[in-house]
Amino acid sequence: YPFFCKLGVDSNKFINKNLEKTNDILYVGALFEEKGQDFLIKSVAKIKNRPSIRFISNSQDENFKNKVIKLAKNLRVKISFELLTSDDSLIEAYNKAKIVVFPSRLEPLGYVPLEAMSCGTPVVAVAEGGVRETVVHQKTGLLCQRDTNDFANNIKLLLENNKLRNKLAGNCSSYVQENWSLENSRKNDFDHF
């Protein structure tokens, strides 16, 4: 009989260092069309005082990257790219970001939201796929529909409302530790099967 194997992140490595939040929006993940970076840029373009987006990728499609650069330029959205950063740099980036965004299309689980939350950074995500199980709406982040206006409004809300952002950030690390840590993923409760 199959049984549920819960995944997790190393919450002893991805930790909240309580660093000053110097970056507005962080996107982490492969730079491919199905990851939704074009949707993210179109959403940010709807915000009057457009925040900058920092992309950190482990791989990229050069043709799609060029499309993203052109789109951002046309919509006047400031972006920057990094490829294959170290774990230490990634953890620092999570800690310095005000929010992490997750616009991926139907991602089965998504480690990025878990890593971000483990570092104490709330997530704004499209409520599709596994992110509906990992990000708790209005507790560790904000979930919305795949609608550029909705996504933009949630980004704007968390960037402008320090009280709400700090409240969500305060829940993130403990939530991951209790529910999505590697230690918890190794515990299998076979009594239910």
Side-chain angles (χ1 to χ4, degrees):
Y1 293 96
F3 60 89
F4 177 68
C5 294
K6 193 170 191 177
L7 300 175
V9 296
D10 189 346
S11 57
N12 295 315
K13 183 176 189 174
F14 289 90
I15 59 171
N16 185 350
K17 296 183 174 189
N18 295 305
L19 300 178
E20 181 183 354
K21 302 295 186 180
T22 56
N23 297 311
D24 291 331
I25 298 174
L26 176 64
Y27 170 89
V28 175
L31 194 58
F32 295 115
E33 191 165 0
E34 62 270 15
K35 298 295 187 175
Q37 293 95 345
D38 51 347
F39 169 81
L40 170 60
I41 290 169
K42 290 173 187 175
S43 299
V44 168
K46 293 180 178 284
I47 300 172
K48 184 177 180 181
N49 297 318
R50 294 182 182 119
S52 61
I53 307 168
R54 180 179 179 189
F55 291 101
I56 298 179
S57 302
N58 54 353
S59 60
Q60 60 189 19
D61 174 333
E62 286 297 327
N63 290 330
F64 183 65
K65 180 180 179 183
N66 291 332
K67 180 181 171 183
V68 166
I69 291 169
K70 184 177 179 180
L71 179 64
K73 184 178 180 181
N74 289 341
L75 296 177
R76 297 186 313 276
V77 175
K78 185 178 177 186
I79 59 175
S80 63
F81 295 96
E82 295 171 49
L83 182 63
L84 299 175
T85 189
S86 69
D87 283 352
D88 289 339
S89 294
L90 179 60
I91 292 165
E92 183 175 322
Y94 279 134
N95 273 272
K96 287 187 172 184
K98 291 179 182 173
I99 62 171
V100 168
V101 292
F102 198 73
S104 292
R105 293 179 181 91
L106 298 172
E107 186 85 23
L109 174 72
Y111 280 105
V112 169
L114 292 172
E115 292 171 351
M117 293 184 300
S118 188
C119 291
T121 303
V123 176
V124 174
V126 174
E128 295 177 357
V131 74
R132 293 174 298 170
E133 297 176 36
T134 58
V135 177
V136 181
H137 184 62
Q138 296 185 344
K139 180 178 178 184
T140 63
L142 299 175
L143 297 173
C144 61
Q145 299 303 308
R146 183 166 297 284
D147 175 86
T148 54
N149 290 315
D150 197 16
F151 205 64
N153 288 337
N154 280 281
I155 289 171
K156 185 175 184 277
L157 176 62
L158 274 194
L159 289 178
E160 293 179 354
N161 189 330
N162 292 336
K163 184 177 179 181
L164 176 60
R165 189 176 67 246
N166 290 335
K167 176 186 168 193
L168 299 182
N171 298 327
C172 288
S173 298
S174 60
Y175 167 75
V176 172
Q177 184 68 38
E178 292 167 12
N179 297 284
W180 294 98
S181 67
L182 281 178
E183 292 78 18
N184 284 335
S185 73
R186 293 181 185 128
K187 295 176 187 174
N188 287 312
D189 184 3
F190 295 103
D191 294 337
H192 298 292
F193 299 101

